[in-house]
Amino acid sequence: MKPFINKTPVLSSSLLNDMVDANIVFKCENFQKMGAFKMRGAANAILSLSEEERQRGVVTHSSGNFAQAVSLAAQKLGVKAYIVMPENAPQVKKDGVLTYEGEIIECESTPQTREKTASRVQKEKGASFLHPSNHDEVIYGNSTAAIELLEECPNLDVILTPIGGGGLISGTALAAHYFSDNCKVIGGEPMEADDAFRSLISGKIETNDSVNTIADGLRTNLGDRNFPIIQKYVDKIIRVEEDEIINAMQLIWERLKIIIEPSSAVPFAAVLKNKEEFKNKNVGIILSGGNVDVKNLPF
């Protein structure tokens, strides 16, 4: 994977550390190629295909970041990419797909329609389907962000990630299990799309009736490949309100001087909400991406 991804920087802020009385390091996947950790999983998944499979192309459905990741990874490997996107996906993410020569097929903004449309394209084109989060090779690719973080900061007590479809947190949980001594993994999730939180309680994959959250990358559900990993290796999930997400996002923009999207702010919002839990600990946070519409900021 190394020729296809960036080894992203790890940043910290003494001001943010003082706010929570902890040592926080941020793994900045907003500096990843195409602007999000999704490049890792997409590159690994396409590299894992046979030459014959690559010639028939790949198809995925995504609200934006995985769409761009598959498009870019496919472009670099000379593979045709068909991208099913909900019609309300941010324009900045649609533009990214087109820049990387992905072919967009728009559909209604429901998980069922996305899957149905991708399945149709898969049959018509003979393309290999790459799920954004519920795919083994995608999960393994995603795990490399936490592996890099643990190589640089081996003394972490906990790593937090956002949780949407479950592809990042399951990869992170595997990385922490196999590449650290005793590092816990905690998920941050919007209250308005708390299916993962409820899934851990019920023991089965839950869905959301509505996904009215600013964290547009976290509006998806867990899958049967990542949910068992999450059940086994993720310590807990902390839910946060919309105003807490916006506040955390603004603090990172102001203090770290970097651009992140709302989904990336969710785990930091979880730390701010539960300061006592993280007091005096070495905390790693994976900032999942920076593909934000700067003309439509919440602050």
Side-chain angles (χ1 to χ4, degrees), residues 79-101:
V79 174
K80 176 70 178 173
Y82 303 98
I83 313 295
V84 175
M85 296 187 81
E87 55 202 2
N88 66 347
Q91 188 58 46
V92 65
K93 295 184 178 180
K94 290 181 183 176
D95 292 344
V97 170
L98 296 173
T99 300
Y100 304 136
E101 300 179 343

Side-chain angles (χ1 to χ4, degrees), residues 77-185:
L77 287 159
V79 174
K80 176 70 178 173
Y82 303 98
I83 313 295
V84 175
M85 296 187 81
E87 55 202 2
N88 66 347
Q91 188 58 46
V92 65
K93 295 184 178 180
K94 290 181 183 176
D95 292 344
V97 170
L98 296 173
T99 300
Y100 304 136
E101 300 179 343
E103 183 179 319
I104 296 175
I105 300 103
E106 288 199 359
C107 70
E108 283 179 39
S109 181
T110 67
Q112 297 83 358
T113 312
R114 281 162 59 152
E115 286 167 17
K116 197 172 172 183
T117 308
S119 181
R120 175 176 59 77
V121 175
Q122 184 182 6
K123 284 177 189 152
E124 285 175 3
K125 308 291 185 182
S128 295
F129 176 65
L130 306 181
H131 193 282
S133 54
N134 196 45
H135 186 293
D136 290 355
E137 300 302 333
V138 170
I139 292 167
Y140 301 152
N142 293 342
S143 74
T144 59
I147 292 170
E148 287 177 8
L149 177 57
L150 286 163
E151 283 172 352
E152 198 164 330
C153 308
N155 63 338
L156 291 178
D157 298 305
V158 60
I159 299 176
L160 292 98
T161 81
I163 181 162
L168 177 59
I169 197 166
S170 54
T172 302
L174 289 174
H177 178 70
Y178 288 107
F179 293 90
S180 77
D181 291 330
N182 194 27
C183 180
K184 292 181 178 177
V185 172

Side-chain angles (χ1 to χ4, degrees), residues 1-5 39-41 43-44 47 137 140-142 144:
M1 285 170 57
K2 279 187 177 176
F4 300 95
I5 59 169
M39 187 65 186
R40 296 175 182 272
N44 192 51
L47 286 164
E137 300 302 333
Y140 301 152
N142 293 342
T144 59

